[in-house]
Amino acid sequence: MPNGIRYPNVDSLYNLTMKEMSQIITIELNGEQQPLPPDSSVNDLLSIIGSDGKSLAVVVNDSIIRPNNRSTHQLHQGDRVELLIFAGGG
Amino acid sequence: MRALPEWLTDNRDTAALAAMLSPASSRSLETLAAESRAITLRRFGRTMALYAPLYLSNYCSSGCIYCGFASDRQTPRHRLEPDEIRRELAAMKKIGISDILLLTGERTVAADFDYLQRSVAIAAEEMPRVSVEAFPMSVSEYRALADCGCTGITIYQETYNSERYEALHRWGPKKDFIDRIETPERALDGGIKSVGLGILLGLSDPVEDTLSLYRHVRHLGRTWWRAGLSVSFPRMRPQTGGYEPPFPVDDHLLARIIFAFRIALPDTELVLSTRESATFRDGMAGLGITRMSVESKTTVGGYSVSDSKNSREKRDEGQFEISDNRTAREFCAALRNQNIEPVFKNWEPSYNGPSARINYEREVDRSASTITPETETCH
Amino acid sequence: MDVLKLGSYTFSSRLILGTGKFSNSTVMLDAVRASGAQLVTVALRRFNRQQAEDDLFGPLSTIEGITLMPNTSGASTAAEAVRAAHIARELSGSPFIKVEIHPNPQHLMPDPIETFEAARILAKEGFLVMPYIAADPVLAKRLEEIGCASVMPLGSAIGSGQGLATSEMLNIIIRESTIPVIVDAGLRSPSEAAHAMEMGCEAVLVNSAVAAAGHPPEMAEAFAEAVAAGRKAFRAGLMEKSGFAVATSPLTFLGTF
């Protein structure tokens, strides 16, 4: 993988047109690079990674994106996205 | 009348003290004394802090039935003027005193706040530590006193039984039970560093009053947790007016109260004045008491007149009769005889001034979150 | 009714259970049920596609009467803890936040200065702040002053199982506090939890002692019973300690009775 960049989920990119391919953006998802089709919303990202978005907190560039805004909140090149859940802890 | 404070009837942690005070206690006075002595030695070492009272004025506006300075007593009234105060201070310094308690009666025109404040300022020039036992004041008045160098106040509730209190305080501002009980809180809010509490033993049921006094100490200690707290156990002494205490407290009960208090409050300063006999004071030194008055005069101007062999002291009657009449030198010798070190200076005036109030708002919000929820996040 | 009061919330159970370090979530959920705990701590973690079963929110929310108390573990500064608290509240809807800030991942000792700072900010924002602290009586009072819902001093180091190594300090904190004192961390056996309750703690928080037990659900139940017994004993009032040894009679000055 060039420049240490990992594309953990490229399946969703297979049916893009050439034009769309050229417009692919890269965001930082939980500290790793994640390519996304252009004009992707938070919900698009969630479906790409196979999450229903329930019991999941979404933080984009230090702003919490609530569930009812996830379909309209567009992601941009270089956005830092954190997806957080509750796990065991004391 | 406003409601009594909640803490006054809070039995949350009085069980252990109540058990020690009970006549049916399984613990003998000797076992209490041994534990009290061990705690005192551990916490305070072999030392005794010494102070002396300075009566500034015996004018009074209240009619406390038990007091030699009540406004209906025929005793002559005086107030010390600045040069007289300086003379008294000089006489006290000569016997080694550096920690003084300034006293007045309840607020009067003759001895009002301005007079008291001026007197504190004069005393603070001469003495490292100045405390005040006067009338209840406002928060801002206490702050002004602290600014002048007053570090502590003493304000006895006398009795925590509000019905007895009502009967004993026949007239005057001291009749207001609630106002008096809230006074220590105002003093601490005003930046006074330490507060002395007490009951006048003999006025009301001593065990009941002791438990209430303990609740008061705990309440203040929990809420004003930076405050220094001390507790006195004055017993009614014969005084002008001849009031007979209806609940006399004998030596054994007083000793039990002191030991139990020391065990229940290991860190609190416990005070015993010259009201008590030389024998009792010597006996209690090291067993629980950590602060005592010495060579006290309870008359206005008593130190310099006895110094100059003036006759006014003979003519005047004090607030109460002194029982331990020893000089400071004699008393210190008695303490040293018991391997206890008398401590005259226990405070450095460079620490004077109102106690710091921490202003949390002033601190920089350096770690305020960078996260801005889109909308109100409270569910 | 003897209940644990935290802010405007009341709980009949005085055992708070942590959900970390269990072998799997089935055992953990069984332990939560067995403990009767009504407050349960959880931690924030990054979502991991490969381990979707990690999410505890769904399973825990199926247990009736549970309020989540998210913690800020992983934070090593006040800013990180405040950020974690905001996200946690978004996710849980719970006003409770256990402020836990340990800059050193080895011993996990709480940073008092960052903890105070985070607690101050979060309390002002309306959180019910439950700070995990060293057993420091002055810090406890400072946290009380800024509006924390409780203080949670450690009995001994997290996961150490050293019990109430800090009992002298805990006694002072309990004696002086006007908010609930909850012992958090270090307990190993139910008897230690009972002892903490007898001392006057309002609740105990246990995690490793249950998660690392031979049979966690059974141990959870044992802790619940110990906590209830200790509380009952505290309320009943322990008998006076037996007398002090007397070497000599120091009271001759009082004369005879």
Side-chain angles (χ1 to χ4, degrees), chain B residues 6 33 36 89 148 167 228 231 251 267 322 365:
Chain B
E6 243 172 65
S36 173
L89 292 167
C148 290
V231 172
D251 283 0
D267 303 316
I322 302 292
D365 267 13

Side-chain angles (χ1 to χ4, degrees), chain B residues 353-364:
Chain B
S355 55
R357 295 189 62 137
I358 293 166
N359 182 358
Y360 296 105
E361 298 312 311
R362 206 175 48 209
E363 289 170 28
V364 184

Side-chain angles (χ1 to χ4, degrees), chain B residues 27-34 251-252 255-256 259, chain C residues 251 254 257:
Chain B
R27 303 188 58 178
S28 69
L29 199 54
E30 283 76 13
T31 61
L32 291 178
D251 283 0
H252 286 85
R256 183 172 280 274
F259 299 151
Chain C
L251 302 179
L254 292 176
F257 283 87

Side-chain angles (χ1 to χ4, degrees), chain B residues 27 218 222 226 360, chain C residues 89 141 145 175 240 257:
Chain B
R27 303 188 58 178
R218 297 287 291 118
R222 278 196 179 105
R226 293 176 175 88
Y360 296 105
Chain C
R89 184 163 64 177
K141 291 305 286 185
E145 266 177 347
R175 197 172 68 216
E240 270 186 80
F257 283 87

Side-chain angles (χ1 to χ4, degrees), chain C residues 201-242:
Chain C
C201 286
E202 291 273 338
V204 298
L205 194 160
V206 180
N207 189 342
S208 305
V210 171
H215 193 263
E218 214 167 325
M219 188 58 83
E221 202 176 330
F223 265 99
E225 287 168 5
V227 166
R231 177 65 184 178
K232 196 173 275 182
F234 172 73
R235 282 169 58 82
L238 303 179
M239 79 165 201
E240 270 186 80
K241 267 190 198 146
S242 68

Side-chain angles (χ1 to χ4, degrees), chain B residues 56-122:
Chain B
L56 293 173
S57 158
N58 62 357
Y59 286 95
C60 194
S61 52
S62 284
C64 312
I65 200 164
Y66 50 80
C67 179
F69 287 162
S71 63
D72 60 339
R73 309 288 187 239
Q74 295 307 307
T75 187
R77 307 288 168 165
H78 309 284
R79 155 189 128 159
L80 295 181
E81 297 309 324
D83 56 329
E84 294 175 298
I85 294 173
R86 290 198 182 89
R87 214 155 41 230
E88 287 282 283
L89 292 167
M92 295 172 89
K93 276 166 85 170
K94 225 157 88 181
I95 58 175
I97 300 300
S98 83
D99 183 338
I100 61 164
L101 179 64
L102 301 179
L103 293 99
T104 72
E106 286 298 305
R107 205 184 287 248
T108 56
V109 177
D112 60 3
F113 176 74
D114 290 338
Y115 169 76
L116 181 62
Q117 188 181 17
R118 282 199 304 277
S119 304
V120 166
I122 293 168

